[in-house]
Amino acid sequence: MLIVFFGCKAQKEKKASSSLSIVEYDSHVHLMSPQLISYWKGLGIPFSKSEDNYSDIDTILQNNKAEHIDLIGMGYVYGNPEYYEGDDGYKKMMKENDYLLKTAKKYPNRIKPFFAVDPLKYYAIDEVERCYKNHPKGGLKLHFNASQVYLTEPDHLNKVKQVFVKASEYELPILLHFDNWHPKFGKPDIELLVDSILNEIKPIQIQIAHFGTSGGFNDKTKRFIDAFIELKNQKRIPSKHKILFDISAVALDKDSEGVSKLTEKEFQELNLYINKIGIENIVFGTDYPLYNSIEYLNILKEKVGLTDTELKQITKKNTATNNKG
């Protein structure tokens, strides 16, 4: 369950084998408030490390080892009754976002915060506006799985479009966990995103988390990428937008909460799909605490076969983000 949000399992740190001993940029690092951790522990959700590893920014930066990070909030969980049963979900979401934004301000030159909303809730636009006023140089995280977004539902499509419109007006980059676990998820969802949303909004940067699914690399991942590339080749995806693929939690060398580690053949196939997407369209991310940046960098080099030149390219902050300021 938890790979939907982050990886909790402990992983022994590996020696760096790549010549890159320092990672410039990690685009996918999770933060949880002590309150959210306490609540989830009360539900019986296990945490294999001390709370500081998830909630304390100094510990996170020390563990992750990247010079710059995009810090990802998890306030969207309060919109899902499976993960929160209280009737004060909006207040809880606000507090989680406030914790994220306050944390980011401790290291403004190293951290870009991505606050989270549930786009289906009546308060979604209000929360985007509130967080933007608090931190105009941040970004927006949308998690279609946690929020159970189905673009094939007209009401869902309309609500999501309103959030995208607002984000584009504010020039907020969006980190999008697009997969919703519906058995028919795939090309129709991508077509709706492109035809009914992206074609009708101002230019925006979108980072598609986990290569479009919820981690790992399998037939579902390949179908998503193939469908996206087909639409791109048909010139249906507006060139005004900057769309990046986030490789976090894709190259798994261990089973993680129901998502299987890759076989040697799958690691080789992943390399082929990286070439299909284009290395210039891929951004490095660890899904910390699933991995730290050095661990994951080594997996991409040793298992996937990326060169040091390619690794430098995907970890370059200025090519991966349109940070304002």
Side-chain angles (χ1 to χ4, degrees):
M1 176 181 69
L2 285 180
I3 196 170
V4 173
F5 307 111
F6 61 90
C8 271
K9 298 291 186 182
Q11 172 87 350
K12 289 185 179 179
E13 189 169 321
K14 300 174 182 177
K15 264 186 184 178
S17 61
S18 170
S19 63
L20 299 178
S21 59
I22 297 176
V23 174
E24 182 177 342
Y25 173 62
D26 183 344
S27 72
H28 204 129
V29 176
H30 285 284
L31 178 79
M32 301 179 70
S33 71
Q35 291 74 27
L36 180 54
I37 295 172
S38 177
Y39 177 73
W40 274 10
K41 281 185 173 181
L43 295 178
I45 295 175
F47 289 79
S48 59
K49 302 176 183 178
S50 66
E51 292 186 10
D52 286 352
N53 289 276
Y54 310 98
S55 64
D56 178 70
I57 190 57
D58 291 301
T59 303
I60 290 171
L61 290 173
Q62 182 179 7
N63 289 343
N64 182 270
K65 306 182 189 306
E67 292 184 328
H68 301 274
I69 64 171
D70 286 346
L71 195 63
I72 314 304
M74 296 179 61
Y76 49 77
V77 300
Y78 287 112
N80 187 329
E82 184 177 349
Y83 304 106
Y84 185 69
E85 298 177 350
D87 57 3
D88 58 346
Y90 184 24
K91 290 182 180 180
K92 293 290 187 181
M93 177 183 288
M94 291 172 66
K95 288 182 179 179
E96 197 70 19
N97 282 330
D98 286 345
Y99 182 78
L100 169 82
L101 298 177
K102 181 179 179 181
T103 297
K105 288 178 179 179
K106 185 174 184 179
Y107 298 104
N109 295 323
R110 293 188 67 183
I111 298 172
K112 183 181 183 75
F114 279 66
F115 58 85
V117 303
D118 182 331
L120 302 185
K121 300 300 183 184
Y122 70 89
Y123 49 74
I125 298 298
D126 289 342
E127 184 63 0
V128 172
E129 292 176 341
R130 188 186 73 87
C131 290
Y132 175 77
K133 290 175 182 177
N134 186 316
H135 204 302
K137 294 181 181 179
L140 171 62
K141 170 64 182 287
L142 299 176
H143 200 302
F144 281 6
N145 191 7
S147 301
Q148 288 299 283
V149 171
Y150 302 103
L151 295 182
T152 50
E153 295 286 339
D155 181 56
H156 288 204
L157 180 62
N158 181 55
K159 289 177 178 177
V160 169
K161 182 177 179 179
Q162 291 178 42
V163 172
F164 269 76
V165 167
K166 181 59 65 175
S168 68
E169 288 176 356
Y170 286 158
E171 298 182 5
L172 284 170
I174 294 178
L175 174 58
L176 178 62
H177 185 122
F178 194 49
D179 181 13
N180 59 23
W181 283 99
H182 192 284
K184 294 183 179 180
F185 168 82
K187 187 176 179 179
D189 301 82
I190 304 172
E191 290 178 326
L192 284 167
L193 175 68
V194 171
D195 296 338
S196 299
I197 298 178
L198 298 187
N199 274 319
E200 300 182 22
I201 65 172
K202 296 178 181 178
I204 194 172
Q205 175 179 303
I206 302 172
Q207 181 174 314
I208 300 173
H210 318 309
F211 274 21
T213 57
S214 291
F217 181 77
N218 48 42
D219 288 341
K220 189 176 185 181
T221 319
K222 290 183 280 187
R223 287 195 301 270
F224 180 93
I225 295 171
D226 287 339
F228 182 90
I229 291 173
E230 181 182 344
L231 293 180
K232 188 173 182 179
N233 290 340
Q234 294 172 354
K235 301 189 184 302
R236 286 174 63 181
I237 299 176
S239 59
K240 62 184 176 180
H241 304 302
K242 184 173 184 179
I243 301 177
L244 301 167
F245 280 77
D246 161 352
I247 200 170
S248 68
V250 174
L252 294 177
D253 71 342
K254 58 182 177 180
D255 294 339
S256 186
E257 303 298 338
V259 181
S260 299
K261 66 181 180 181
L262 275 60
T263 64
E264 290 302 316
K265 181 181 178 181
E266 287 169 337
F267 277 118
Q268 293 171 11
E269 273 195 299
L270 174 56
N271 189 298
L272 296 176
Y273 269 80
I274 287 171
N275 289 329
K276 278 189 176 185
I277 296 168
I279 197 73
E280 70 278 5
N281 299 315
I282 294 171
V283 62
F284 179 78
T286 58
D287 207 25
Y288 174 92
L290 179 61
Y291 294 103
N292 70 41
S293 60
I294 300 300
E295 289 172 340
Y296 200 53
L297 191 80
N298 288 333
I299 292 170
L300 294 177
K301 180 180 177 67
E302 297 169 4
K303 296 285 189 178
V304 182
L306 295 188
T307 66
D308 281 351
T309 299
E310 290 171 327
L311 293 172
K312 286 179 181 177
Q313 184 165 351
I314 67 174
T315 58
K316 258 304 198 196
K317 181 171 180 286
N318 61 356
T319 60
T321 181
N322 65 353
N323 268 342
K324 296 177 289 178

